[in-house]
Amino acid sequence: MCGIVGYVGGNQAAPILLSGLSKLEYRGYDSAGIAVRNADTEKIAIVKAKGRLKPLIEKTDGGNAVPGTCGIGHTRWATHGEPSEVNAHPHCSENQSVVLVHNGIIENYQELKEKLTKSGYTFYSETDTEVATKLVDYYYQKTGSPLEAISRTMLRVRGSYAFGIMFHDFPGKIYAARKDSPLIIGKNDTGSLIASDVPAILDSTRKVYYIGNLEIAELTQEEIHFYNIDREEIEKEMVEIKWDAEAAEKGGYEHFMLKEIHEQPKAVQDTIGAYAKSGMIDFTEVGLTDEVIQAIERIYIVACGSAYHVAMVAKYVLEELADIPVEVELASEFRYRNPRLVKNSLVMVVSQSGETADSLAALRLAKEKKAPTLGIVNVVGSSIARESDYVLYTYAGPEISVATTKAYSTQLIAVYLIAIQCAKVKGLISEERYGELLTELNTLPDKIQKVLDDKERMQWFASKYASAKDIFFIGRGIDYAISMEGSLKMKEISYVHSEAYAAGELKHGTISLIEEGTLVVGVLTQKALYEKTISNMVEVRSRGAYLMGLTNYGNYNMEDTADFSVYVPKTEQYFTTSLAIIPLQLMGYYVSVAKGLDVDKPRNLAKSVTVE
């Protein structure tokens, strides 16, 4: 949940490390540090600072005050030990024989610490990472081999990790290793790089390798070698990143989140265009043939956070359109409950990063149970993409803001496409209906843009309710799933307590929370449920609630009930989430801005949740 960078080459390392870390700020962190080897003195300079990158940049004069062409850097998100300079990475062994940065969690660190203490090691921090550093040193002192020291450490450690490691005795080399935590290796004309995510190295190269689970990399200025945990050399194929550094910049917008909200029409169009061509859905590259689809009798969808809300929408759409029973589960629950997967089922795993720890574990559990798996991910070459039997990529491009917007919207398109194709293959819709659905799907980008064109209205309303303490979102069916995502957007970036409730459940306790002036957002995009939800809104209004209604064009009688009404274009009832979510994204964004908060980097959160 934090950031790693590393560079070995012909240029000064520290400015490259700091630049890379600045591109990883979106991942969430509370301290930062770099370690650079000075070729003249042969000493490794370690500089760390609590808080944002600015103090570290000032300490090092933008990196210019730290000479050397080989180094590693890190932004830390505290798990073991409070945010502090002592607990910040990099960590080192005695005499700096080993210097290490780490993403992830070492689950058996206490047991390892006791072993190392008995062997004479002492500890200066509260972190599990210092334990890993000194375990590598322990095996290095025994073997004299960096590769063997790292592989033995990997065999002893339980948990998740991505390591960047420097050995004092091996100048001009960086080692990397990973298990269940993302790490990529890059190469350019001046040297070699490591990073926990693509944006960190886009300024330097678009040529990368994806290091696999339980693999090790050895980097020098000229070469990169890969090894398995048995220290046998293995071959890797270089991948070229298609999007460039400009795609990961703000492009004139005040925040990445606002930029990414406005990129949704293009992201949605790109994802539709990748799979719907010439009036047909083509899943050839995904591997979902008609034969595979025909055999599906049940679908399990596992996900976390916003991806879980996509899964809730998928349940309604798949069951109604394709008549396939769907079970939706939080990945963190699925992985621990020993699920009973029925025969001829498909497990779908939805994740923006493709590295979400709980979702990855759920995928592996499904594979252990011999169920076919489909990954819906945004990052090419990510762990979920590599390990799924089938993979459907979304085309959101880089998403930097912690609060997802365009990745969520492209995941919705993915499940719409799957539902439509399943309905066709199973003979549940005619060719004419199939064409109608695809035609309407292709109207979504323009309709999303139409909602965005009216964003100032949401900005005015959000500023009016920026001081709200509690907000409730209510809806039924798909509208309930929309409410869940709208509520999450509000709480994660504006820190306003917000909850989503199935509107029919209000009378079973929740309505007791309504007080004079409490903001209640009613979502009403499903024609068959419109009057039912209106009745629920009237119930809360009679208890003093202030009502915002979100519905389709044409439902202008909403203004008889709601104090403030928002309208989105009409579309197929199955696709309505793609339009209705836009005002709620904008609402969360503008409330956060009005409160003066850090929109892109909300407190306590990280973009890619790679630990439990």
Side-chain angles (χ1 to χ4, degrees), residues 527-542:
K527 185 177 180 180
L529 298 169
Y530 182 84
E531 291 183 353
K532 294 290 186 184
T533 307
I534 282 285
S535 297
N536 298 130
M537 293 176 69
V538 170
E539 288 175 341
V540 295
R541 186 180 64 182
S542 68

Side-chain angles (χ1 to χ4, degrees), residues 94-113:
E94 300 294 332
N95 302 319
Q96 296 186 342
S97 60
V98 175
V99 180
L100 181 147
V101 292
H102 163 226
N103 286 353
I105 288 182
I106 308 301
E107 294 175 355
N108 59 333
Y109 85 101
Q110 196 64 50
E111 167 194 324
L112 296 171
K113 187 174 185 178

Side-chain angles (χ1 to χ4, degrees), residues 10-122:
N11 295 333
Q12 186 178 4
I16 296 172
L17 300 179
L18 292 172
S19 175
L21 291 177
S22 72
K23 302 297 194 301
L24 296 177
E25 285 191 287
Y26 68 92
R27 295 173 67 88
Y29 71 104
D30 47 49
S31 57
I34 60 172
V36 180
R37 185 186 183 101
N38 187 322
D40 295 330
T41 65
E42 295 191 355
K43 290 185 177 180
I44 299 176
I46 299 176
V47 187
K48 303 191 282 189
K50 180 183 175 182
R52 295 296 186 186
L53 271 176
K54 186 178 179 182
L56 183 64
I57 292 170
E58 291 173 347
K59 271 188 175 185
T60 61
D61 186 26
N64 296 316
V66 186
T69 60
C70 178
I72 52 179
H74 189 266
T75 49
R76 175 180 186 251
W77 191 87
T79 54
H80 297 75
E82 66 180 6
S84 69
E85 195 168 305
V86 170
N87 288 329
H89 302 203
H91 285 285
C92 64
S93 61
E94 300 294 332
N95 302 319
Q96 296 186 342
S97 60
V98 175
V99 180
L100 181 147
V101 292
H102 163 226
N103 286 353
I105 288 182
I106 308 301
E107 294 175 355
N108 59 333
Y109 85 101
Q110 196 64 50
E111 167 194 324
L112 296 171
K113 187 174 185 178
E114 291 171 4
K115 167 189 167 60
L116 291 167
T117 300
K118 291 176 182 177
S119 298
Y121 283 86
T122 58

Side-chain angles (χ1 to χ4, degrees), residues 23-328:
K23 302 297 194 301
L24 296 177
E25 285 191 287
Y26 68 92
R27 295 173 67 88
Y29 71 104
D30 47 49
S31 57
I34 60 172
V36 180
R37 185 186 183 101
N38 187 322
D40 295 330
T41 65
E42 295 191 355
K43 290 185 177 180
I44 299 176
I46 299 176
V47 187
K48 303 191 282 189
K50 180 183 175 182
R52 295 296 186 186
L53 271 176
K54 186 178 179 182
L56 183 64
I57 292 170
E58 291 173 347
K59 271 188 175 185
T60 61
D61 186 26
N64 296 316
V66 186
T69 60
C70 178
I72 52 179
H74 189 266
T75 49
R76 175 180 186 251
W77 191 87
T79 54
H80 297 75
E82 66 180 6
S84 69
E85 195 168 305
V86 170
N87 288 329
H89 302 203
H91 285 285
C92 64
S93 61
E94 300 294 332
N95 302 319
Q96 296 186 342
S97 60
V98 175
V99 180
L100 181 147
V101 292
H102 163 226
N103 286 353
I105 288 182
I106 308 301
E107 294 175 355
N108 59 333
Y109 85 101
Q110 196 64 50
E111 167 194 324
L112 296 171
K113 187 174 185 178
E114 291 171 4
K115 167 189 167 60
L116 291 167
T117 300
K118 291 176 182 177
S119 298
Y121 283 86
T122 58
F123 296 86
Y124 57 82
S125 77
E126 303 170 81
T127 68
D128 56 340
T129 302
E130 186 190 358
V131 175
T133 305
K134 291 179 175 175
L135 186 64
V136 173
D137 182 73
Y138 173 82
Y139 286 120
Y140 176 66
Q141 300 305 327
K142 284 183 172 295
T143 66
S145 164
L147 277 178
E148 189 167 351
I150 294 168
S151 66
R152 287 198 183 189
T153 297
M154 293 165 73
L155 289 168
R156 287 297 307 273
V157 162
R158 293 196 307 272
S160 61
Y161 52 82
F163 292 140
I165 312 172
M166 298 167 63
F167 290 83
H168 183 273
D169 297 340
F170 290 83
K173 284 188 177 181
I174 292 175
Y175 291 85
R178 74 172 288 263
K179 176 180 178 288
D180 299 340
S181 195
L183 196 66
I184 59 172
I185 311 295
K187 188 77 183 75
N188 64 16
D189 293 338
T190 72
S192 305
L193 306 100
I194 64 172
S196 46
D197 205 353
V198 171
I201 60 174
L202 269 183
D203 285 342
S204 301
T205 184
R206 287 194 287 166
K207 297 177 180 178
V208 303
Y209 299 93
Y210 291 98
I211 181 171
N213 240 18
L214 297 176
E215 292 179 353
I216 305 167
E218 179 187 72
L219 292 77
T220 65
Q221 178 177 346
E222 296 82 15
E223 297 178 335
I224 301 171
H225 297 277
F226 296 93
Y227 304 88
N228 62 23
I229 199 168
D230 296 319
R231 305 188 301 284
E232 299 167 334
E233 188 160 3
I234 54 178
E235 295 296 321
K236 286 280 177 187
E237 183 178 347
M238 181 177 281
V239 176
E240 185 171 356
I241 302 300
K242 298 300 182 184
W243 42 275
D244 57 24
E246 189 176 330
E249 300 296 336
K250 289 181 184 176
Y253 287 91
E254 186 178 357
H255 299 99
F256 278 111
M257 184 178 178
L258 187 60
K259 173 177 180 274
E260 289 157 8
I261 288 173
H262 281 81
E263 288 174 340
Q264 286 175 112
K266 183 180 186 301
V268 165
Q269 185 61 68
D270 289 348
T271 304
I272 295 170
Y275 302 106
K277 305 166 184 174
S278 304
M280 299 286 290
I281 295 173
D282 182 1
F283 282 152
T284 302
E285 293 183 7
V286 180
L288 285 180
T289 64
D290 288 358
E291 291 74 22
V292 171
I293 291 173
Q294 192 66 255
I296 298 172
E297 297 179 7
R298 184 178 295 268
I299 294 175
Y300 301 86
I301 311 179
V302 292
C304 306
S306 292
Y308 175 76
H309 302 155
V310 170
M312 292 297 294
V313 174
K315 175 179 174 65
Y316 291 115
V317 176
L318 278 160
E319 290 188 341
E320 288 194 29
L321 191 58
D323 198 29
I324 300 174
V326 177
E327 295 185 25
V328 177

